[in-house]
Amino acid sequence: MCGRLDQNHTAIEYVAAMHWRGPAPRVATQAAPSYNAPPGTWRPLMRVVDEQLVVEDAFWGYRASWAAAKLPVSINARLEKITNNYWARLLKSGRAIVPADGWYEWTGEKGKKQPWHIHLKTREPLFIAAIGACGKEREQPAESGFVIITADAEGGMVDVHDRRPIVFSAQDAALWLDPDLSAQQAEQLARSVALGPDAFEWHPVAREVGRASNEGAHLAAQLDLLA
């Protein structure tokens, strides 16, 4: 599960961390940096359009137009299912990257849930694998939105959650975006080179992050549970 993001840097700063080697990137995002970005909002998303890296705002959430009366809006897609009929088209031509500084997960019982901030040990930006129908304006935002791809946490992160987003290095993120990469190759890339649990660390944060309207650096700051 990945249901809340820390995206506290600007799109230009994320582009710099990407070390893009192609034509000069185009940054066309109006979304403000956020320490508490929820699904159902417009967030910066990286795509490749005509060999150019483009960063535009996209709606976090996807549902195919034909599924409006059948399925809820999805915010994540399981790696194990991205080749099925629902996701395969997006895997082929709708690959994207969500740049971020971390994400949040919750543990514990309902009413007493403890949020955790998960990030790279290096504290460098994350490049999270996504797929979507972005770039095509639709009447319903979710019809042209995106989802984050998640995989099994492989034990190392299971104390916080049994699922984790697929996170790439900058180099592998660029490869994921390459339109010449087939859907089969993209799936294999996600399975084989995604950063493992040992690349991450996490700390508890204030429960204020649970309210999507709350904002500020204090939301990502480490909380002393013994205090």
Side-chain angles (χ1 to χ4, degrees):
M1 182 69 178
C2 180
R4 201 68 62 84
L5 291 173
D6 174 4
Q7 286 183 312
N8 68 71
H9 282 85
T10 66
I12 292 177
E13 289 172 319
Y14 289 131
V15 167
M18 185 78 163
H19 304 297
W20 182 252
R21 296 184 178 181
R26 177 168 66 88
V27 177
T29 173
Q30 301 298 316
S34 173
Y35 284 91
N36 194 18
T41 59
W42 295 78
R43 301 309 309 163
L45 191 74
M46 294 177 167
R47 299 186 299 126
V48 168
V49 180
D50 297 329
E51 299 184 354
Q52 182 183 38
L53 181 67
V54 176
V55 188
E56 295 178 319
D57 295 334
F59 184 80
W60 184 4
Y62 174 78
R63 180 172 59 194
S65 57
W66 58 264
K70 303 177 181 179
L71 298 172
V73 174
S74 298
I75 62 171
N76 298 319
R78 288 176 173 254
L79 177 60
E80 305 93 306
K81 297 184 178 182
I82 59 173
T83 59
N84 68 19
N85 291 337
Y86 192 72
W87 299 115
R89 178 179 59 86
L90 302 184
L91 177 63
K92 179 180 179 181
S93 59
R95 294 191 300 273
I97 288 290
V98 179
D101 297 274
W103 75 93
Y104 299 94
E105 297 290 1
W106 279 258
T107 60
E109 301 177 359
K110 186 176 180 180
K112 299 181 180 180
K113 287 186 176 294
Q114 173 60 54
W116 299 78
H117 186 280
I118 306 173
H119 46 270
L120 288 175
K121 290 178 179 179
T122 62
R123 300 312 294 258
E124 293 176 316
L126 306 171
F127 297 105
I128 302 173
I131 51 176
C134 310
K136 301 175 182 178
E137 290 295 329
R138 307 276 186 173
E139 183 176 350
Q140 298 299 321
E143 294 177 10
S144 56
F146 71 90
V147 294
I148 286 172
I149 300 175
T150 67
D152 188 276
E154 298 176 2
M157 208 176 287
V158 75
D159 290 344
V160 180
H161 205 277
D162 60 353
R163 305 290 299 178
R164 63 182 175 87
I166 294 292
V167 178
F168 291 124
S169 67
Q171 181 179 3
D172 289 327
L175 184 56
W176 170 260
L177 293 176
D178 187 346
D180 291 333
L181 198 70
S182 71
Q184 293 76 15
Q185 290 171 319
E187 181 200 12
Q188 184 57 37
L189 184 77
R191 291 183 180 278
S192 61
V193 305
L195 299 180
D198 59 348
F200 300 89
E201 62 184 10
W202 45 90
H203 59 243
V205 295
R207 293 179 181 174
E208 291 176 65
V209 76
R211 185 180 293 274
S213 60
N214 288 339
E215 187 55 72
H218 66 287
L219 298 176
Q222 184 165 355
L223 180 71
D224 185 357
L225 293 180
L226 299 180

